[in-house]
Amino acid sequence: MTEQGLRDKRILSKLKLDKLPHQLQDEAFKTLGFEVSNFIHHVFSERVKSASLNWCFTNIKRAKIFLKIFHANEMGAEIYKEEIAKNIPEYSYKTISKIIDEGLAKGYYILLEPDSSISGKDGKIKNIRPSEELIVDFLNLSISIISYIDKKKIK
């Protein structure tokens, strides 16, 4: 067997194929890699079509902050800079605050009154939400991803 063939067998033996919804033929793992690579390329090419998503996913810091804000929005939970800083401890409050302020200035994030009827929070704390445009762009990207995956059935 060639070195490439041995290498392929070693790679295949380490893949967690039992997590796939159907059994993958031994020789199809390279097709899987090719399709995953195409998929990631598709996601990046779709992302750049939206200025708001392109900004949010420019680096991992912005992406983590966006996802915290988006998740809080979907759950109807209050979220503010201090809470985000507590939940993303690998970045300083100053870094997080700067990113959020930039997102607010660009209109990608907005400040809204808390969704809950519970008041008593400090009036200086601002409830951060993604803009409507950002929500629509993110959900459309998600729909595109689901559609792409659904069309690609690797056997």
Side-chain angles (χ1 to χ4, degrees), residues 45-108:
S45 66
E46 288 296 309
R47 182 202 79 192
V48 298
K49 293 178 182 177
S50 159
S52 62
L53 285 181
N54 201 35
W55 182 85
C56 286
F57 289 105
T58 296
N59 59 49
I60 195 67
K61 290 176 193 174
R62 288 184 189 173
K64 286 181 176 183
I65 291 167
F66 162 71
L67 292 172
K68 287 287 180 195
I69 293 170
F70 187 85
H71 185 74
N73 184 68
E74 296 307 298
M75 299 301 295
E78 295 178 24
I79 193 77
Y80 44 93
K81 291 177 183 179
E82 293 80 3
E83 185 71 19
I84 295 168
K86 279 191 253 176
N87 286 295
I88 310 176
E90 60 268 29
Y91 306 122
S92 70
Y93 173 82
K94 183 178 177 182
T95 297
I96 290 169
S97 182
K98 182 179 174 188
I99 290 169
I100 292 170
D101 289 344
E102 187 178 338
L104 288 165
K106 291 181 172 293
Y108 302 148

